[in-house]
Amino acid sequence: MCLNKKRTTNHTVSTRLTLWYALFSAIFCMSIFTVVSVKMRHNAQKRVDNSIKTELGEFKRIYEQEGLGELQEEFRTETEAQGANELFCRLITPQNIPLATSNTNGWMQLPEILQNIPLPKDDRPQFNTIYPAESHFNTRMGSAKTADGNIIQFGFNLHSENKSHAKIQRILTIGSLLLLILNAISGWVISRRAMSGVRRVTKAVSNIEKDSLDCQVSFGNEGLEINELVNAFNLMLSRIQSLISEIKEVSDNVAHDLRSPITRMRGSAETTLTGPQEIEAYREMGQTILEECDSLTEMINTTLEIAQTESGLVQISYTPLDLREILTTAIELFEPVAEEKQIRFLSDLPDDPLIIPGDKTRIQRICANLIDNAIKYTPVGGKVSLRAFNEDGHIHIEISDTGPGIDPTEKERIFDRFYRGEKSRSSSGNGLGLCLARTLIHAHGGTITVQSEPKKGSTFIVIFP
Ligand code: ADP
């Protein structure tokens, strides 16, 4: 029995898939958003740095070629053109004393802030970002050394850059949110569609009545996986169906096999009790009841042995056995039975021993069952032959007879528990012989097959590794 701990959940697979889909979309959108944002900020800064560098180069040229006065004039022109709040320009000594400066009235505490900005040590311009007091916007500034050791500083208010960056960030945020919602909706729709096949199969399976297990779930066009699921369900249904009919047949056979001896015992007891009260009649009744009890016990024991061997409960002791010796003993045992039925019993055994690892009693039972069947089902005057040989390290036993043969429709079933062929019901037996033989052969790692032609005879082939 398979006990599965039942784990209940209120979330449908669609909901879970949608949540996962939304989560991955959110992670994806946020990653794209971050990468784009960082890249844009980096590019914008590079652009600003380049224009600062150009301005610094121009200021340097004017100062070095045209003098301090021209530089001051250039500062003024530049400030007027762009607006005093947008930029600042300064020429300072290495001791931070301003020599020329643009109108910095709008730049609160600029001298104090610039006091802490490190000055360039070589000819390469140096860039810094500063945060002027009472300004929401940061400022990018550059400093460059002139030929006489003074330093030109040029700062550029980034508020328009920041504004456009914030605008793009807003667009990206709204776009990401829309994409997230769209992804969640499409995830929901896709998962609902994907699950529609599962729902259809569930509905079809729950509609199957317990007494109509021969129904099959129909295939749809939801995809290969769903069709595989349908196929698995249909296979399972067929298997359950065949198991149920097997159980039904076994119980019918058991009922029949139990009813017959019980009826016989009852009949015998009834006849004895109602007939003349003679000691001989009672002795006969006792004899009949003993025989019937013996055959019932044998049937129960065989059924138990099959069940225990199949489930691996029986420990088979593997010792090296000479199969030729076992077969010789069996032939000697069955020869008188064959003779009685005027059946020619031929054997062909090799000179060398046929060694297999196995359980002696069980191997003897396999051989006895097969020889017994061959003689039992062969009519008077027929022929039974037994052959054993070693081929490629495998030991073969072939038992052929000239009996009625086995109908092709019965071939698969003769090894089933309690199965008796249609034509064999009149002869003695309980339908367990071949089932036990096959179970024991399998337990020894061997195989058993049958070749048969109706009205011509059958050959049972056993191969041990
Ligand atoms: P039982 O012989 O008691 O009926 P078995 O399990 O030995 O049970 O055999 C099952 C069925 O297989 C038999 O009822 C018979 O129909 C068929 N069978 C077995 N051996 C032979 C044989 N040698 N020739 C023809 N039919 C056979």
Side-chain angles (χ1 to χ4, degrees), residues 373 376-377 401 406 414 419-421 424 429-431 433-434 458 460:
N373 273 353
K376 184 165 77 179
Y377 294 111
D401 61 61
I406 298 157
I414 53 169
Y419 183 78
R420 304 206 68 207
S424 327
N430 52 21
L434 282 183
S458 318
F460 283 84

Side-chain angles (χ1 to χ4, degrees), residues 70-187:
E70 280 305 313
L71 181 68
Q72 181 67 61
E73 184 55 23
E74 180 64 20
F75 283 174
R76 197 183 56 77
T77 322
E78 196 73 35
T79 321
E80 272 174 11
Q82 306 270 342
N85 289 340
E86 295 301 312
L87 54 87
F88 69 84
C89 326
R90 294 197 330 163
L91 175 73
I92 55 166
T93 63
Q95 293 75 34
N96 224 321
I97 300 160
L99 299 175
T101 176
S102 63
N103 177 4
T104 55
N105 288 346
W107 296 80
M108 305 282 281
Q109 297 170 357
L110 185 68
E112 288 80 9
I113 294 168
L114 292 180
Q115 203 76 38
N116 300 319
I117 298 294
L119 300 176
K121 294 194 172 56
D122 50 32
D123 286 343
R124 276 177 300 161
Q126 181 183 295
F127 297 95
N128 298 89
T129 304
I130 58 169
Y131 299 89
E134 292 178 19
S135 169
H136 298 305
F137 306 109
N138 46 351
T139 295
R140 188 73 176 161
M141 65 163 286
S143 316
K145 225 174 179 176
T146 58
D148 58 5
N150 290 330
I151 290 121
I152 298 174
Q153 291 177 320
F154 176 66
F156 190 79
N157 193 330
L158 293 175
H159 74 113
S160 58
E161 300 282 331
N162 283 350
K163 259 184 184 166
S164 58
H165 190 76
K167 201 171 165 185
I168 291 170
Q169 261 185 334
R170 253 196 321 275
I171 293 171
L172 277 175
T173 312
I174 294 169
S176 301
L177 276 173
L178 286 177
L179 199 69
L180 189 71
I181 294 168
L182 199 74
N183 274 346
I185 293 172
S186 51

Side-chain angles (χ1 to χ4, degrees), residues 236-295:
M236 192 181 72
L237 284 174
S238 317
R239 180 127 180 77
I240 293 173
Q241 173 72 19
S242 76
L243 277 175
I244 287 177
S245 35
E246 216 171 279
I247 289 170
K248 198 168 168 295
E249 194 172 312
V250 167
S251 36
D252 283 353
N253 288 336
V254 171
H256 175 264
D257 284 334
L258 285 179
R259 202 183 297 124
S260 308
I262 290 171
T263 312
R264 281 196 294 273
M265 284 193 274
R266 196 182 182 285
S268 169
E270 204 172 15
T271 323
T272 313
L273 288 174
T274 51
Q277 303 294 300
E278 288 166 3
I279 189 76
E280 195 51 41
Y282 279 94
R283 197 169 281 130
E284 246 175 55
M285 177 186 78
Q287 185 71 26
T288 311
I289 288 173
L290 263 182
E291 278 168 13
E292 296 295 353
C293 284
D294 283 352
S295 89

Side-chain angles (χ1 to χ4, degrees), residues 320-331:
L321 304 173
D322 182 3
L323 207 58
R324 194 190 52 162
E325 196 184 299
I326 293 174
L327 287 171
T328 313
T329 317
I331 291 165

Side-chain angles (χ1 to χ4, degrees), residues 15 18 31 66 112 171 200 202 205 320 332 353 361 441 464:
T15 315
T18 309
S31 315
E66 296 168 29
E112 288 80 9
I171 293 171
R200 185 177 65 79
T202 313
V205 172
E332 282 166 10
T361 326
I441 291 166
F464 286 113

